Amino acid sequence: MRDFLRQLKRVKLSPSVILYDLFKTILVFLIATSFALCVVEMNVISDNIFGVYMLAVAVTSVITNGVIWGILSAVGGVVAVNFFFTYPYFAINFSMAGYPVTFALLLFMSVLTSALTTRVKKAAILSATRERRAENLTEMSNALLSANTLNKIMEITLDYFFESNQCSVVAYLGNPSDPKIKLLKTIQPHDELIFHSPLEVQIAIDSYTKNEITGIVLEPKVQNCKGTYIPISTETKVYGVIGLLFESPDDVLFDTYKFSNIMVSQTILALERQAIEEKAQLILLEKEKEKMRSNLLRAVSHDLRTPLTCILGASTTLQENKDKLDEAIFDQLLSDINHDAQWLIHMVENLLSITKISSEDAKVKKQDEIVEEIVAESVSRIHKRFPNSTIHVSVPDDLLIVPMDATLIEQVLINLMENAIRHSGTSLPIRLKVSKDGNEAIFTVTDYGKGIDPARLSTIFEGKNGSISADSNRGLGIGLSICKTIILAHNGNITAKNHTCGGASFTFVLPMKGDLGYDYESKNTNC
């Protein structure tokens, strides 16, 4: 209670508010006096005129700011009763026997009424403020539950500190000297300059390093800063700092900083929950990575064994029966060896591509690349391997620039086009289409052959060949597994589907801006 009374004494009112309260006090006094004169004239009330002024004191205390106006109204009421309604009328006379004590008691009652009314009013305002804060705290907690990024958590924290305290707010995640995230919301434009001043930044750094509230607090120290900085911290870890800049620090309610600490605790819970979710996501990714490695090993053992067996058989036949073979069979065996050797080279290229992005510390090095050039290079390399193949290419008229590892994306396109040529079961042309949807570049490779067995669609990117014969699907499993790994490393997504016109479509999406992933849903593809 002592803190509350001290806080009331520190309230400062502007001249315009003071004049307005003076006007309301005078108006209530005049209305009370006019009413009292009327009822006396009508002989309705004669002995209890002071009750009218007691009511005026209560009304004045309710509609004005501070205790002083109620006290002035009480003094005015005592004087008016003596002047208008006590003999001798229209004269001030406190010398009559018993009057000084009587009017002193009446004045004391008026002052007490004014003080109690003002106190009730302040208590009501404080109660309403606390209720509003409690509602904001509940809303903040619910909003933080839906936040799934650090930036979103800090944005919600900033907004609710701003709304609850009605002041300019700065939020730092990390050390204010070099924060991971810095957000600002101000009431006055010059508040931003204040927050950016070296002194304020240093005070915020002190709050972070010392893990304590710094700046202007309820018992301010001698310093020139204007903001108050509250660490977002537990006993063992400091996450960041919240800075508050009030227009008039002396007007701040005494429990503001206590409530701010409660809000900070909600932010800490959200940050800790986000850290746990990120750790769980890393574990899940590692599990997925291990699963992909196992599938890759199965695919490698399958896809390497088949061409090596063919090379071994053909070379053994040439060695043991070279004098018995006619020229056509001899050339065919050499052609088969050459074909399988080229396939093994292609397999090695795929393996090198996937090991490039599968090591623990390796990261895909992205550079802005022109999509049309990547497509042209991929098609050119396919034509060298399959001279008789026909590929229809469609790219947007607008220049598309996508951050990527050009070699890896070319490998994806080559794998998808080669699979379409080898496994579609048709000589119809292959279609490669590039389009743009918002901030994503969409690549689609379509064939018009026999399509994909529906039972394989859900696992086709996992390197499993199922019950299909090894020779007929050579390389399909490992190639698609590598494609998925490369696209995921680029924060994209890849899907496969059969379309109504016959054949299959493979679509992968790459983000054109930033590193946000894209949750692609298969759309109908025109035939």
Side-chain angles (χ1 to χ4, degrees):
M1 182 59 64
R2 184 173 63 254
D3 290 337
F4 180 68
L5 293 176
R6 183 172 64 250
Q7 192 67 28
L8 292 180
K9 293 177 182 178
R10 294 166 63 180
V11 174
K12 297 180 181 179
L13 300 177
S14 64
S16 59
V17 173
I18 293 174
L19 290 175
Y20 188 48
D21 284 344
L22 176 61
F23 169 76
K24 288 187 286 187
T25 301
I26 295 174
L27 180 62
V28 171
F29 176 80
L30 292 177
I31 293 174
T33 301
S34 300
F35 177 76
L37 290 172
C38 290
V39 296
V40 168
E41 185 68 23
M42 297 169 60
N43 292 322
V44 176
I45 297 177
S46 58
D47 298 329
N48 297 312
I49 294 299
F50 197 78
V52 175
Y53 287 98
M54 290 284 288
L55 178 62
V57 169
V59 172
T60 302
S61 300
V62 171
I63 66 175
T64 57
N65 298 284
V67 183
I68 185 65
W69 304 111
I71 295 175
L72 290 178
S73 179
V75 172
V78 170
V79 173
V81 170
N82 185 276
F83 186 79
F84 292 107
F85 306 103
T86 303
Y87 184 84
Y89 300 110
F90 302 105
I92 300 296
N93 183 9
F94 288 101
S95 61
M96 297 176 62
Y99 254 74
V101 175
T102 301
F103 280 102
L105 291 174
L106 293 176
L107 179 60
F108 174 75
M109 291 176 60
S110 298
V111 172
L112 183 62
T113 300
S114 175
L116 290 175
T117 304
T118 302
R119 186 170 180 176
V120 170
K121 178 183 175 183
K122 293 293 184 181
I125 294 174
L126 184 59
S127 176
T129 301
R130 287 175 173 172
E131 182 179 357
R132 178 172 57 84
R133 285 176 172 177
E135 292 174 355
N136 285 341
L137 187 62
T138 302
E139 293 174 1
M140 179 181 179
S141 300
N142 294 334
L144 288 173
L145 286 175
S146 63
N148 54 8
T149 63
L150 293 177
N151 197 73
K152 187 64 177 178
I153 290 173
M154 298 307 293
E155 284 181 358
I156 292 172
T157 299
L158 184 81
D159 290 341
Y160 278 94
F161 263 92
F162 180 85
E163 182 177 348
S164 297
N165 296 291
Q166 294 297 303
C167 67
S168 298
V169 184
V170 63
Y172 297 98
L173 182 62
N175 195 319
S177 62
D178 185 22
K180 297 178 183 177
I181 297 175
K182 179 181 179 181
L183 301 174
L184 195 67
K185 197 167 186 179
T186 60
I187 294 178
Q188 301 294 336
H190 65 269
D191 289 348
E192 183 174 354
L193 298 177
I194 294 176
F195 277 131
H196 289 157
S197 67
L199 175 61
E200 297 295 324
V201 173
Q202 185 57 51
I203 298 297
I205 294 172
D206 290 343
S207 177
Y208 180 87
T209 55
K210 297 177 181 178
N211 192 12
E212 62 182 25
I213 297 179
T214 59
I216 297 180
V217 291
L218 288 178
E219 299 294 340
K221 298 179 181 179
V222 179
Q223 49 190 352
N224 295 321
C225 68
K226 297 183 178 180
T228 300
Y229 298 89
I230 305 171
I232 305 173
S233 64
T234 61
E235 293 181 357
T236 58
K237 184 175 181 180
V238 181
Y239 292 93
V241 174
I242 289 288
L244 307 177
L245 183 62
F246 295 96
E247 292 187 25
S248 179
D250 290 339
D251 294 343
V252 179
L253 293 177
F254 73 98
D255 63 344
T256 293
Y257 302 110
K258 293 181 181 179
F259 181 77
S260 295
N261 285 330
I262 297 175
M263 297 180 69
V264 164
S265 67
Q266 295 297 316
T267 301
I268 292 172
L269 289 176
L271 292 173
E272 291 178 342
R273 184 175 62 253
Q274 181 66 21
I276 293 172
E277 290 178 356
E278 289 177 354
K279 186 175 181 179
Q281 186 67 21
L282 289 176
I283 294 173
L284 184 62
L285 289 175
E286 188 60 33
K287 184 178 179 181
E288 184 69 23
K289 191 175 181 181
E290 195 63 35
K291 180 181 178 182
M292 189 172 292
R293 285 198 189 104
S294 299
N295 292 334
L296 180 62
L297 288 175
R298 285 196 299 269
V300 167
S301 63
H302 167 269
D303 286 346
L304 290 182
R305 183 175 62 248
T306 302
L308 285 174
T309 301
C310 294
I311 290 174
L312 182 61
S315 61
T316 300
T317 300
L318 288 175
Q319 285 180 337
E320 295 178 354
N321 304 288
K322 61 180 179 179
D323 296 332
K324 300 178 183 180
L325 299 174
D326 58 32
E327 186 176 352
I329 296 177
F330 189 88
D331 290 342
Q332 181 62 45
L333 291 173
L334 285 177
S335 177
D336 290 343
I337 292 173
N338 179 270
H339 179 271
D340 288 327
Q342 288 184 1
W343 178 254
L344 286 174
I345 291 174
H346 178 51
M347 290 288 295
V348 172
E349 290 176 352
N350 274 338
L351 290 175
L352 290 175
S353 296
I354 201 166
T355 55
K356 182 179 179 181
I357 59 177
S358 295
S359 61
E360 294 294 332
D361 300 325
K363 293 184 179 180
V364 174
K365 296 181 179 179
K366 300 178 186 177
Q367 292 183 347
D368 289 342
E369 302 285 352
I370 299 175
V371 170
E372 190 172 355
E373 293 180 356
I374 302 301
V375 170
E377 180 64 24
S378 304
V379 173
S380 175
R381 291 175 61 185
I382 279 290
H383 278 151
K384 290 179 182 179
R385 293 183 184 179
F386 305 93
N388 297 325
S389 63
T390 302
I391 302 174
H392 293 165
V393 180
S394 173
V395 296
D397 294 333
D398 297 335
L399 187 67
L400 295 186
I401 298 178
V402 178
M404 66 172 76
D405 185 313
T407 302
L408 294 179
I409 297 303
E410 285 177 12
Q411 192 69 46
V412 172
L413 290 172
I414 290 171
N415 282 352
L416 294 179
M417 289 187 288
E418 184 169 343
N419 283 340
I421 293 170
R422 286 181 178 274
H423 309 295
S424 62
T426 180
S427 59
L428 293 174
I430 305 300
R431 184 183 183 192
L432 170 56
K433 180 181 179 182
V434 181
S435 59
K436 178 183 177 183
D437 185 5
N439 290 328
E440 285 79 31
I442 304 175
F443 300 75
T444 303
V445 176
T446 304
D447 66 71
Y448 301 95
K450 59 186 179 182
I452 304 170
D453 182 358
R456 295 193 58 208
L457 279 174
S458 60
T459 60
I460 196 168
F461 294 103
E462 297 181 6
K464 298 178 181 178
N465 284 320
S467 61
I468 310 256
S469 65
D471 186 64
S472 64
N473 285 278
R474 182 189 300 174
L476 183 60
I478 186 173
L480 293 179
S481 177
I482 289 171
C483 291
K484 180 179 179 180
T485 302
I486 292 173
I487 297 304
L488 291 180
H490 283 76
N491 301 296
N493 198 11
I494 184 168
T495 58
K497 70 170 185 175
N498 291 318
H499 52 73
T500 56
C501 302
S505 292
F506 288 84
T507 301
F508 66 91
V509 182
L510 297 179
M512 297 178 63
K513 294 181 180 180
D515 290 325
L516 296 178
Y518 182 85
D519 186 12
Y520 178 77
E521 296 181 358
S522 298
K523 301 177 182 178
N524 292 330
T525 304
N526 295 329
C527 297

